Amino acid sequence: MQTNPANLSPMKIAIISDTHGLLRPEALTAVQGVDLIIHAGDIGAAEILAQLAEVAPVQAVRGNNDLNLPWAADLPDHLTLDLNGWPALLTHDIADVAALLDSSIKLIITGHSHKPLIEWRGDRLYINPGSAGRRRFKLPVTLALLDVGVDTLEPQLIQLLP
């Protein structure tokens, strides 16, 4: 799926996960002005996707906590995306990545653990934006922003609460 027109101008993408029915005002503020929002699952309520869609187009997968929610039945378990020429895999749980990964994928986006991660592994970038919903244990409340150029990926973790 091509998410950016053929001109391949730089894109700014917001990556959010594990909202669990809570879309914080700080998260809405942080995603303003992006070209695309990616939700990596455990959304919790259809209204969250609707609110995000008022800011920018949304691509989302369902998480383990979305499985039995009727509104989430049509959401995929994983997506492959073309983000400015960067082949990307979006799935909720990193445990599912190995079975879905092919050699062309350069960006892997997951959620589930609530632990933020931005890590290059060879020529692949792994991003887990952490949880933007309710705080779990003492983990931070975060999301990620990603600047996508034709030949660069520049991720940034955004802390939503002190």
Side-chain angles (χ1 to χ4, degrees):
M1 176 188 151
Q2 184 72 21
T3 55
N4 193 20
N7 66 9
L8 295 180
S9 59
M11 291 179 78
K12 186 173 219 52
I13 300 172
I15 304 171
I16 190 168
S17 188
D18 295 280
T19 47
H20 292 280
L22 173 63
L23 186 57
R24 295 176 179 278
E26 297 89 348
L28 273 175
T29 299
V31 303
Q32 294 301 310
V34 301
D35 301 303
L36 177 68
I37 299 172
I38 293 175
H39 198 303
D42 277 358
I43 301 156
E47 295 79 28
I48 289 180
L49 294 181
Q51 285 180 281
L52 292 172
E54 291 177 13
V55 176
V58 176
Q59 292 288 336
V61 294
R62 63 184 173 182
N64 56 298
N65 287 298
D66 300 323
L67 290 177
N68 296 320
L69 301 175
W71 63 267
D74 292 332
L75 287 176
D77 294 322
H78 69 277
L79 284 172
T80 53
L81 306 166
D82 181 313
L83 303 173
N84 230 18
W86 291 88
L89 172 66
L90 170 62
T91 191
H92 182 60
D93 191 341
I94 198 165
D96 297 329
V97 168
L100 301 169
L101 197 57
D102 70 51
S103 62
S104 70
I105 301 294
K106 299 299 178 199
L107 172 61
I108 295 99
I109 300 168
T110 61
H112 187 59
S113 70
H114 293 229
K115 295 177 185 173
L117 171 78
I118 294 175
E119 180 177 273
W120 283 96
R121 297 179 189 172
D123 65 347
R124 288 190 173 128
L125 176 59
Y126 284 74
I127 297 178
N128 182 325
S131 171
R134 291 169 181 80
R135 189 183 299 272
R136 183 175 181 201
F137 310 115
K138 293 184 178 178
L139 294 171
V141 178
T142 56
L143 58 78
L145 296 177
L146 179 64
D147 287 318
V148 182
V150 174
D151 55 5
T152 60
L153 292 175
E154 295 193 20
Q156 176 185 12
L157 196 63
I158 304 297
Q159 189 160 329
L160 300 175
L161 295 180

